[in-house]
Amino acid sequence: MDNFPTALFDSYEQDFRQIIDSIRSELDRDGKDEHGEERKASLRRVTMDLDEADELISQMVIEIQAIPQSMKSQYQTRLKSAQGDLDRYKKLSRDLQSQATRAELLGRGRVGTPTSDEPYGNTSDRTRLLTGTATLEDGSRRLQDSQRIALEAEDQGAEILMNLRTQREQIENSRDTLRTADTAIDRATGTLKKMIRRMYQQRVVTAAIIVVLVLLIAIILWEKLFR
């Protein structure tokens, strides 16, 4: 696995661009050659892709915190560009879904012919209209809930990342302290070795002096005794 600090961000961004290309293809095709259930299925695929792209944006936001400061501005620009693309396609998807819902409701409304007693069509048409409106509101509410959950996850991820960074700094400080202690121990060991070496040297010098003195005493005694 690449341990470069931007590797995960680059990977998430590449996946994001692939999903955005897929969304663009779906939205460009939607409304041209698709109708009815086929169009609904296409819009559902777009919604799922947008959710996945939103998740990738959240991961990119987390990963950018670990990028070195010297490189962060460049990646922040890329992140803003990705967020802008996501917001643009979210709006386009909502607009197309609203158009599809209105078209479906209008198509169903034409089936029932209004009368003087029922100016808005028969009861079944009104029920379908209310159901469609409720479905649209429910979808909007779910989208807002998903965005809220994504923001909460983003905040939690950023907090976890900050905690990990603090722990990493503590570990690095402990490592520096250990290095300093190792250096001090090495210096102390060197000093002890020098002291021991000097002690042995002093012993040799002392022994040599004693030998010389003994020889001098022996020579003096020999001269006094045999001369």
Side-chain angles (χ1 to χ4, degrees):
M1 181 177 178
D2 192 350
N3 291 324
F4 199 69
T6 61
L8 281 175
F9 185 96
D10 292 336
S11 176
Y12 289 137
E13 184 182 28
Q14 183 179 2
D15 294 342
F16 174 82
R17 291 301 172 191
Q18 291 177 353
I19 293 174
I20 286 296
D21 290 340
S22 175
I23 292 173
R24 184 186 299 113
S25 299
E26 290 286 353
L27 294 180
D28 288 344
R29 187 171 66 249
D30 182 66
K32 296 179 181 178
D33 302 323
E34 297 179 345
H35 301 281
E37 292 301 323
E38 186 178 0
R39 187 178 188 186
K40 290 181 183 179
S42 178
L43 291 175
R44 282 195 296 268
R45 287 193 298 269
V46 168
T47 300
M48 289 187 292
D49 287 343
L50 286 171
D51 290 340
E52 186 175 355
D54 203 357
E55 178 64 24
L56 289 172
I57 287 289
S58 299
Q59 295 297 329
M60 290 163 68
V61 170
I62 294 174
E63 290 302 323
I64 203 172
Q65 303 299 325
I67 294 178
Q69 195 65 33
S70 59
M71 306 170 61
K72 186 171 290 186
S73 60
Q74 172 188 353
Y75 282 84
Q76 285 176 335
T77 301
R78 290 164 59 175
L79 177 60
K80 289 180 181 178
S81 175
Q83 288 174 327
D85 290 341
L86 180 60
D87 292 339
R88 183 169 63 256
Y89 283 109
K90 278 183 176 180
K91 182 178 183 303
L92 181 58
S93 175
R94 288 195 297 268
D95 292 343
L96 290 175
Q97 288 177 349
S98 298
Q99 292 175 9
T101 302
R102 284 196 299 269
E104 181 180 3
L105 292 175
L106 290 174
R108 289 177 177 177
R110 296 190 186 97
V111 175
T113 303
T115 64
S116 57
D117 295 332
E118 295 181 332
Y120 299 103
N122 56 38
T123 304
S124 178
D125 291 337
R126 288 200 300 273
T127 301
R128 284 195 293 267
L129 179 60
L130 292 173
T131 301
T133 303
T135 302
L136 183 59
E137 291 176 352
D138 184 61
S140 299
R141 186 168 56 254
R142 289 183 180 179
L143 181 59
Q144 291 175 354
D145 290 340
S146 299
Q147 291 176 341
R148 177 178 54 79
I149 292 172
L151 290 175
E152 291 176 355
E154 178 182 335
D155 292 339
Q156 292 175 357
E159 182 178 357
I160 292 172
L161 186 61
M162 290 299 296
N163 291 334
L164 290 176
R165 178 177 295 178
T166 302
Q167 293 176 4
R168 183 179 65 182
E169 291 176 354
Q170 292 175 349
I171 292 172
E172 289 177 351
N173 291 335
S174 300
R175 188 180 304 164
D176 292 338
T177 303
L178 288 175
R179 287 200 190 102
T180 303
D182 288 340
T183 302
I185 291 172
D186 291 340
R187 290 178 180 174
T189 302
T191 302
L192 287 175
K193 287 181 179 178
K194 290 179 180 179
M195 293 175 63
I196 293 172
R197 193 161 48 244
R198 288 177 182 174
M199 181 185 68
Y200 283 129
Q201 289 175 351
Q202 290 176 353
R203 285 185 179 180
V204 171
V205 172
T206 302
I209 292 172
I210 292 172
V211 170
V212 170
L213 290 174
V214 170
L215 289 175
L216 288 174
I217 292 171
I219 291 171
I220 293 170
L221 290 174
W222 183 80
E223 287 182 351
K224 288 184 177 181
L225 292 175
F226 296 100
R227 286 188 182 183

